Amino acid sequence: MAAGVEQYTGPWTYQEAAHLLRRAMFGVRQTDVAKILEGSMEQAVDLLLDTPSPISPPTPVYTDDLVSLVMGDPWDPAKWTLDNDTPHLNYVRLWWIDQMLSQPMSIVEKMVLFWSNHFATGGFTVLQAFYMFRQHMLLREHALGNFRQFAKEITLDPAMLVFLNGNQNTKTGPNENYARELQELFTIGKGQEVAPGDYTTYTETDVLAAARVLTGWRDDGSDLTNIRTTFDDSLHDTTDKQFSARFQNTVITGRSGEAGARIELDDLITMIFAQQETARYLCRKLYRWFVNTVITPEIETTVIAPLAQTFSNGNYEIKPVLAQLFKSAHFFDLSVRGALIKNPVDLMIGTFRSFKVQSIFTATLEEELFPPQDPAIRARALRPVYNDLSIQQYDLLDPPSVAGLPAYYQPPQFDKIWINADTIQKRVRFVEDLSVAHYRYDEDYGYAIIEVFEYIGRVSDPGDAVTVVREWLQWIFPMPLSQQQHEKALANFLGSITETEWRKRWNDYASDSKNVLFRLNIETKLQPFLRYLLGISRYQLM
Amino acid sequence: MRRRDFLKAALPAAVLPVALGGYSLRALARNPIIDALMPQADCSDRTLVLIQLFGGNDGLNTVIPLDQYDRLQPARPEIIVPEKDIIKLTDTVGLHSALTGFRDLYNKEQLAIIQSVGYPVPNLSHFRSTDIWTTASDYNQYVSTGWMGRFLELEYPNYPFGYPNDAMPDPLAIQIGSILSPTLDGTLASMGMAFTNLNRYFNVDTDDTTLASTRAGELEGFVRSIGEQVNKFGVKVQNTANSTTIKSSLWPPHRSNPLADQLKIAAMLICGGLKSRVYLVTLGGFDTHYSQNSKGNSGQPFTHPQLLELLQDAIAAFLDELERQDKHRDVLGMTFSEFGRRIKSNSSEGTDHGAAGPQFVFGHPVQGGIIGANPIIADKIEIEDNLPMAYDFRSMYATVLKDWFCADDARLNSVLFKDFPTLPFIRGGGSSVSPSATMRNLQVTAVPNPFISGSLIRVQIPAGVLRVSVFNAIGAEVLVLHDAYHGAGIYEATIDGNGLASGSYYVRVQSGNQVTTTGLIRK
């Protein structure tokens, strides 16, 4: 019997702390592990849930297809145009990547990404960067807030009104698009179709009725510094809306005026959130995002159901559910360690954050951390990260569809969808570039590479090859490894040299770390070993 | 040696002596396990190219029923193709004005149009409907393997383990893109490999240490298996593409036509001699909810007419390339899309998710023509009204499997779960009576019509499996009157009006691969 949501009482060591950080943040930093190991597991979870993620204003960024912005310009909406503004969307994307790379010890960035997948909105359809940015700020505002309130606000969000045609929904021509997705994907979820048009949790009747409730809302983007939601009374259906038996035959009284329409929206959300299935649906999505994509009947009973109870009892506050999940025996159970394939953001941002990544500029040989501090160069460094994320099939601000990423909903493959013959090569190329080749971020400016001297310096006894291998394996992989796997890795690390020879090389380097030859003797062992570890299949798991 | 080649040699002596445990071989042959062991006709040099039109193509603005135009026009006045611009294929069937290339293919008998393809109870969700199409399931059935994955798995047992080998030196199926379609999913693994850029190839490190018996171990094993596939097949696929010289001048400039870019890679691999059986390519953007005919305003990268042009241009270049490299006899192409769109346009000069729609089969092996009658457009169209299906999409699959890939009935049955009539769109295929022969329509009468209490349906039929059913205005099958073998002669049945709300209905009669649909009104 796998563990349920009862509080975890087992060991609290490196492995558990790293597991928590890997799932709640991107990648694992040794300093973060050390910090949370100073306190208890509960304190660590509380810290992650209570720490905000400060929002730095979007930094001026460089995009090579920039129209109305140039590098170094301030973040000034007045300069943005309504016409084809893909460059501006890219501006927001790079800023967002920067936020994730510089995340504090907090779950907020991981939750923002979760919500961007949950309320998946296609930037390519909305085609208005400021709409998308406004929506993004809404995701941040509610990231750990109240789901019911969030659902209400996203319904009237201007980008959402555009994306799912809410702004074309009228009493004479109801547009069902948003009303359908609100139920199918955003709140209660679609159950099995037991009769034509009856999806167990709601019916086609409810789609149409909800569409009529939501008639009349419009987006107004005439002032980009103040994008608003407006209401046109003449387009609103003021008649009563009859829902099906799936919603206890609820009738939502038709009302007029903006205040009336808001009451109708409240009634609609209240009706949907009165169903326990709504709590379960979101808990399943959180579980697939943070723990494991395969929900067995046993997990449904011992994990999802009690989490959902906490959710609905707590008036759909998000924090208590996450606290219960992350403090649970189930979350730390060995059966779920390493049980997720990293999505491209976890792979890329996680790898950047897990190591000290050095920027090297061909022109000046100036060295600093990745991404560089100079705003202009910083923007150049972020652009290829966005490109690589998208070719690995994670396109920020442009999900594959309103259902979000198939890895989190498409059975039976789920997260296996991330990996195929094409994407695996892109993933391997990324780690190869960052470990032994050079991750080029700009043809003229430079590249990034993992600083292996810093990483070996953290090992408790760097001169002992067995210790190096043991500690690196523990740091890099999400689950304990077998004796066989340790031996294989050690053989790979040593190659043609002996443990004694490694000890000698290390001592030489330690005695004179500036000596070019001594450095080279170390580097030529460490870089290929790191490349080997990051390239094997296990590194794709988290 | 391919498993079934081995069995071909081994079977006669080992199995044929009459019976196994009292069951006749024929009965056993219906069993999928035994079926997998039975020799099949060898059509292993043949290739299928599937084009997925993602988003739901507006069929009524693609293949236009000229004899229904007067009723169609008021239902979609803002978006319908002006009558004078329609390309006429026959007196009653026209193509969108953008589809001049399809007209040329049609005239060369390299294009078959199958009218009103769908399934009995439409699902309006992109995702669920795509699942239904890719898994070939019933509307209310959930299947975790794809139809082509199931077929390839039977043809090449245990793939990808033990491959490449002499019988199949290449990937079974190739998707040009970074996402693998569920169409290719087998029981244990996808039968497909995804490729985009064939210029840079990376050897993926695999390791052979023992896997844990956890989900993590399972996932690690999966990632390893993909890495092994890349290592086994990657270099060869890349070299094949790089060593093929393009000969057609019809290819659009790189990046101007996303479908052509994909088909070009497929053409290079086919012409380079790869033995892969299936290629899958996609063209997205068909979810045309608004401003579907105007530039830059539909929220999609291309307008609907532009999408049609991309489609025909890509196919024309592809077929031209195949012909110049003498591969045209070995390649069949087919489109699919998760649904058609509504009959009535919405208030945003677009169309919402619908039901049945036309599909295309193309290439030299095709028996050109139009299969099926025009859909019927009722006098009064409501916003939610849809076209009922005439042909189940699985009839297209059955035809491809049987007449192109030479699958026998037993194998067809285990891939598609039940019998579906095949259609005459492949030249020389077993089902290829000429379209005109099958178009000697079944004549259905319904009296009275309109009706209140009941209407008598009467149709003369040949002997065979007969399905008679009633569809409502939103395109869903609501009554099945008959679904079984019926002798030659007259079939009669009464539709009981008491169980039906007032409105438009369609009676669909399917006898073998002949289908007819008749409008009916319950007052």
Side-chain angles (χ1 to χ4, degrees):
Chain A
M1 189 77 182
V5 293
E6 66 279 6
Q7 186 157 324
Y8 173 71
T9 53
W12 175 240
T13 67
Y14 184 95
Q15 289 286 357
E16 289 76 31
H19 173 63
L20 175 62
L21 292 174
R22 203 174 275 118
R23 299 298 179 94
M25 296 172 61
F26 301 107
V28 181
R29 282 190 177 156
Q30 310 310 309
T31 46
D32 290 352
V33 175
K35 182 167 183 219
I36 62 171
L37 280 177
E38 287 168 10
S40 66
M41 177 277 290
E42 296 95 299
Q43 287 170 323
V45 172
D46 291 341
L47 175 78
L48 288 165
L49 291 177
D50 291 337
T51 306
S53 184
I55 299 165
S56 49
T59 47
V61 292
Y62 164 86
T63 54
D64 49 13
D65 47 0
L66 218 55
V67 181
S68 59
L69 284 170
V70 290
M71 186 168 51
D73 270 4
W75 174 259
D76 179 6
K79 289 198 164 187
W80 292 31
T81 65
L82 272 169
D83 300 330
N84 175 18
D85 66 353
T86 306
H88 305 105
L89 269 178
N90 289 340
Y91 191 115
V92 178
R93 287 175 169 128
L94 300 196
W95 166 78
W96 185 7
I97 288 170
D98 210 356
Q99 285 289 130
M100 290 192 277
L101 278 168
S102 50
Q103 68 176 160
M105 285 266 280
S106 163
I107 198 174
V108 169
E109 293 298 331
K110 202 65 170 271
M111 281 303 289
V112 170
L113 196 66
F114 169 83
W115 290 118
S116 75
N117 182 52
H118 182 74
F119 291 120
T121 303
F124 197 84
T125 302
V126 176
L127 264 186
Q128 229 313 316
F130 243 70
Y131 276 54
M132 293 305 293
F133 180 67
R134 188 188 189 280
Q135 186 192 68
H136 182 85
M137 297 309 275
L138 191 67
L139 305 187
R140 288 186 174 274
E141 183 187 338
H142 293 282
L144 290 160
N146 183 288
F147 180 43
R148 180 160 56 192
Q149 182 62 26
F150 195 179
K152 208 181 290 180
E153 294 192 25
I154 201 88
T155 300
L156 302 184
D157 171 65
M160 189 62 87
L161 284 171
V162 174
F163 180 55
L164 293 181
N165 311 104
N167 63 356
Q168 291 156 14
N169 187 12
T170 67
K171 64 180 175 188
T172 50
N175 189 309
E176 297 171 358
N177 208 359
Y178 181 78
R180 180 181 305 281
E181 307 309 4
L182 173 68
Q183 294 169 77
E184 178 174 338
L185 298 170
F186 296 163
T187 57
I188 197 164
K190 189 177 193 172
Q192 196 176 347
E193 186 168 15
V194 287
D198 179 353
Y199 313 113
T200 314
T201 48
Y202 65 93
T203 69
E204 285 292 326
T205 307
D206 301 318
V207 170
L208 185 58
R212 291 169 53 221
V213 166
L214 298 171
T215 46
W217 295 101
R218 292 292 178 272
D219 63 292
D220 178 359
S222 52
D223 176 2
L224 284 180
T225 60
N226 183 26
I227 295 162
R228 297 178 309 140
T229 303
T230 60
F231 181 74
D232 184 341
D233 203 24
S234 69
L235 302 174
H236 182 64
D237 184 336
T238 56
T239 61
D240 291 352
K241 288 88 180 177
Q242 171 76 57
F243 287 81
S244 77
R246 296 301 186 186
F247 288 110
Q248 300 81 41
N249 301 307
T250 302
V251 175
I252 291 183
T253 309
R255 296 168 195 272
S256 60
E258 178 168 346
R262 279 190 193 276
I263 294 171
E264 284 193 54
L265 169 59
D266 280 357
D267 291 346
L268 175 67
I269 296 293
T270 301
M271 176 190 84
I272 294 173
F273 279 71
Q275 319 299 320
Q276 186 63 11
E277 188 55 30
T278 299
R280 283 194 176 217
Y281 177 74
L282 195 83
C283 288
R284 284 186 209 110
K285 285 199 87 166
L286 287 168
Y287 183 86
R288 291 203 165 104
W289 183 256
F290 283 112
V291 186
N292 152 45
T293 57
V294 180
I295 298 179
T296 60
E298 188 191 353
I299 291 172
E300 179 72 31
T301 310
T302 59
V303 181
I304 304 299
L307 282 179
Q309 204 57 56
T310 302
F311 206 18
S312 55
N313 287 351
N315 189 31
Y316 288 94
E317 286 293 325
I318 294 155
K319 255 190 206 181
V321 175
L322 291 177
Q324 188 177 25
L325 176 62
F326 286 116
K327 291 176 185 176
S328 73
H330 183 82
F331 178 74
F332 288 102
D333 198 276
L334 281 176
S335 66
V336 301
R337 305 271 184 98
L340 269 177
I341 291 180
K342 287 172 180 163
N343 68 39
V345 179
D346 279 308
L347 178 73
M348 290 194 64
I349 307 285
T351 303
F352 278 120
R353 285 193 74 263
S354 298
F355 299 94
K356 182 183 175 190
V357 177
Q358 192 180 19
S359 295
I360 297 174
F361 305 107
T362 39
T364 62
L365 288 179
E366 175 190 1
E367 294 180 29
E368 52 179 298
L369 284 180
F370 183 93
Q373 293 309 304
D374 180 320
I377 301 173
R378 191 178 185 87
R380 287 175 187 271
L382 295 173
R383 183 61 184 259
V385 179
Y386 163 63
N387 288 343
D388 280 357
L389 286 174
S390 75
I391 63 171
Q392 290 174 25
Q393 302 305 304
Y394 205 128
D395 202 343
L396 295 172
L397 295 182
D398 225 351
S401 77
V402 62
L405 301 159
Y408 299 103
Y409 70 81
Q410 183 76 63
Q413 297 280 64
F414 288 111
D415 44 337
K416 290 179 183 171
I417 288 170
W418 290 123
I419 307 288
N420 60 47
D422 191 62
T423 56
I424 191 69
Q425 292 195 55
K426 288 164 176 164
R427 284 170 171 242
V428 171
R429 188 179 85 187
F430 166 68
V431 298
E432 172 156 314
D433 283 353
L434 205 57
S435 53
V436 293
H438 294 131
Y439 188 74
R440 294 195 76 86
Y441 54 82
D442 188 284
E443 285 304 315
D444 302 321
Y445 275 73
Y447 52 85
I449 193 160
I450 292 171
E451 224 279 46
V452 283
F453 292 101
E454 194 269 352
Y455 207 58
I456 187 80
R458 297 185 173 278
V459 173
S460 57
D461 180 5
D464 180 45
V466 174
T467 305
V468 171
V469 169
R470 188 181 62 242
E471 295 187 5
W472 276 25
L473 290 185
Q474 187 181 48
W475 296 349
I476 288 171
F477 296 118
M479 65 287 215
L481 301 184
S482 67
Q483 185 59 34
Q484 181 199 21
Q485 286 161 331
H486 277 90
E487 284 164 9
K488 200 173 158 81
L490 180 64
N492 182 285
F493 173 54
L494 290 173
S496 58
I497 69 168
T498 61
E499 290 182 43
T500 316
E501 168 66 15
W502 169 255
R503 169 73 73 182
K504 182 182 173 303
R505 288 189 185 189
W506 176 259
N507 288 342
D508 287 346
Y509 166 75
S511 68
D512 180 5
S513 65
K514 297 265 188 287
N515 183 303
V516 175
L517 183 65
F518 292 166
R519 283 183 75 89
L520 206 61
N521 277 337
I522 297 286
E523 198 177 37
T524 51
K525 291 311 283 180
L526 294 178
Q527 279 192 344
F529 183 50
L530 191 64
R531 160 67 177 83
Y532 164 76
L533 294 180
L534 301 189
I536 59 184
S537 308
R538 204 171 305 122
Y539 188 66
Q540 303 299 329
L541 310 184
M542 62 184 274
Chain B
M1 187 179 194
R2 201 160 137 193
R3 184 168 173 76
R4 75 173 193 223
D5 294 340
F6 164 77
L7 285 163
K8 265 182 203 165
L11 259 174
V15 181
L16 280 187
V18 194
L20 286 168
Y23 295 97
S24 79
L25 199 65
R26 178 165 166 69
L28 276 171
R30 303 298 290 191
N31 174 320
I33 309 290
I34 296 296
D35 171 48
L37 304 177
M38 293 298 288
Q40 304 272 317
D42 193 19
C43 297
S44 57
D45 288 340
R46 294 179 172 183
T47 300
L48 174 70
V49 175
L50 291 168
I51 301 181
Q52 180 174 10
L53 309 176
F54 190 73
N57 177 36
D58 183 7
L60 284 169
N61 257 22
T62 306
V63 178
I64 303 157
L66 301 173
D67 56 353
Q68 310 289 314
Y69 193 88
D70 290 349
R71 286 180 297 283
L72 195 55
Q73 200 278 337
R76 38 169 62 201
E78 304 91 351
I79 60 158
I80 196 167
V81 186
E83 203 164 3
K84 61 176 174 43
D85 297 338
I86 295 174
I87 299 168
K88 277 181 83 172
L89 294 184
T90 69
D91 287 347
T92 55
V93 179
L95 289 177
H96 189 286
S97 53
L99 289 172
T100 50
F102 270 12
R103 175 196 56 203
D104 299 342
L105 282 182
Y106 178 85
N107 289 339
K108 285 196 280 183
E109 295 190 24
Q110 291 179 20
L111 183 74
I113 299 169
I114 296 100
Q115 299 255 37
S116 302
V117 183
Y119 49 92
V121 180
N123 190 303
L124 301 186
S125 155
H126 291 293
F127 322 109
R128 179 63 193 139
S129 199
T130 300
D131 282 353
I132 290 168
W133 273 84
T134 56
T135 63
S137 70
D138 280 340
Y139 81 95
N140 56 358
Q141 177 193 17
Y142 289 76
V143 175
S144 63
T145 52
W147 71 279
M148 189 46 76
R150 289 194 295 277
F151 173 70
L152 292 173
E153 199 165 48
L154 287 172
E155 292 274 287
Y156 303 92
N158 294 327
Y159 183 90
F161 306 103
Y163 294 81
N165 56 32
D166 290 348
M168 180 42 80
D170 301 315
L172 282 188
I174 290 180
Q175 174 131 24
I176 313 297
S178 290
I179 304 169
L180 277 170
S181 167
T183 304
L184 302 172
D185 280 351
T187 316
L188 296 174
S190 174
M191 300 290 112
M193 281 185 78
F195 291 97
T196 45
N197 185 348
L198 292 167
N199 296 324
R200 192 173 172 194
Y201 164 76
F202 268 80
N203 206 56
V204 179
D205 292 309
T206 53
D207 108 42
D208 55 359
T209 56
T210 313
L211 294 167
S213 60
T214 55
R215 170 74 174 167
E218 180 200 337
L219 292 174
E220 187 178 345
F222 169 75
V223 179
R224 270 187 205 174
S225 72
I226 299 296
E228 282 160 9
Q229 267 190 55
V230 171
N231 296 347
K232 282 193 286 197
F233 295 116
V235 171
K236 176 153 183 220
V237 171
Q238 183 194 29
N239 290 345
T240 304
N242 292 343
S243 63
T244 307
T245 310
I246 284 295
K247 294 182 176 165
S248 172
S249 58
L250 298 183
W251 291 107
H254 185 55
R255 285 179 182 274
S256 66
N257 181 331
L259 183 64
D261 289 349
Q262 296 169 53
L263 280 178
K264 196 172 182 179
I265 295 177
M268 290 193 290
L269 297 177
I270 292 168
C271 297
L274 227 57
K275 298 214 177 304
S276 301
R277 305 294 305 276
V278 178
Y279 291 83
L280 216 155
V281 295
T282 52
L283 179 62
F286 285 89
D287 195 20
T288 49
H289 281 284
Y290 66 106
S291 303
Q292 67 179 53
N293 289 343
S294 43
K295 261 199 163 62
N297 201 18
S298 66
Q300 303 288 347
F302 299 102
T303 65
H304 186 252
Q306 284 172 331
L307 288 168
L308 296 178
E309 246 177 272
L310 296 179
L311 176 67
Q312 65 166 16
D313 291 350
I315 288 175
F318 179 68
L319 293 180
D320 187 51
E321 187 67 49
L322 294 177
E323 190 157 358
R324 285 168 193 279
Q325 311 228 21
D326 200 29
K327 286 282 181 188
H328 52 291
R329 281 177 293 272
D330 302 333
V331 182
L332 179 77
M334 179 166 87
T335 65
F336 72 101
S337 191
E338 69 267 35
F339 37 62
R341 305 194 78 80
R342 301 278 169 90
I343 301 168
K344 202 166 160 55
S345 54
N346 60 26
S347 51
S348 329
E349 299 185 12
T351 42
D352 295 330
H353 304 177
Q359 298 302 337
F360 300 97
V361 186
F362 57 88
H364 286 255
V366 163
Q367 176 162 287
I370 300 164
I371 295 177
N374 278 335
I376 299 165
I377 308 296
D379 289 335
K380 189 169 177 300
I381 298 293
E382 303 296 337
I383 184 75
E384 66 272 23
D385 287 356
N386 280 320
L387 300 180
M389 69 157 197
Y391 298 100
D392 194 295
F393 69 105
R394 289 162 291 188
S395 276
M396 295 187 68
Y397 296 174
T399 310
V400 167
L401 293 174
K402 187 176 181 184
D403 289 350
W404 187 238
F405 281 159
C406 309
D408 66 13
D409 286 348
R411 186 155 292 189
L412 264 184
N413 220 286
S414 47
V415 172
L416 298 177
F417 308 123
K418 47 179 134 169
D419 285 326
F420 291 94
T422 52
L423 303 172
F425 60 66
I426 293 173
R427 218 182 312 140
S431 319
S432 66
V433 270
S434 79
S436 57
T438 62
M439 295 291 291
R440 60 184 159 80
N441 269 339
L442 302 160
Q443 297 293 324
V444 181
T445 57
V447 181
N449 184 15
F451 69 102
I452 296 174
S453 61
S455 182
L456 179 69
I457 306 295
R458 198 165 191 276
V459 59
Q460 176 147 14
I461 48 160
V465 175
L466 174 72
R467 185 178 175 94
V468 181
S469 56
V470 179
F471 285 69
N472 64 13
I474 65 168
E477 189 173 58
V478 289
L479 271 180
V480 178
L481 299 172
H482 191 92
D483 190 11
Y485 178 88
H486 194 288
I490 304 282
Y491 168 84
E492 274 188 354
T494 302
I495 296 174
D496 182 2
N498 291 322
L500 300 173
S502 60
S504 300
Y505 292 87
Y506 306 90
V507 180
R508 175 180 180 270
V509 177
Q510 174 171 12
S511 170
N513 63 17
Q514 299 182 59
V515 175
T516 187
T517 306
T518 303
L520 201 59
I521 293 176
R522 163 78 165 85
K523 284 218 281 198

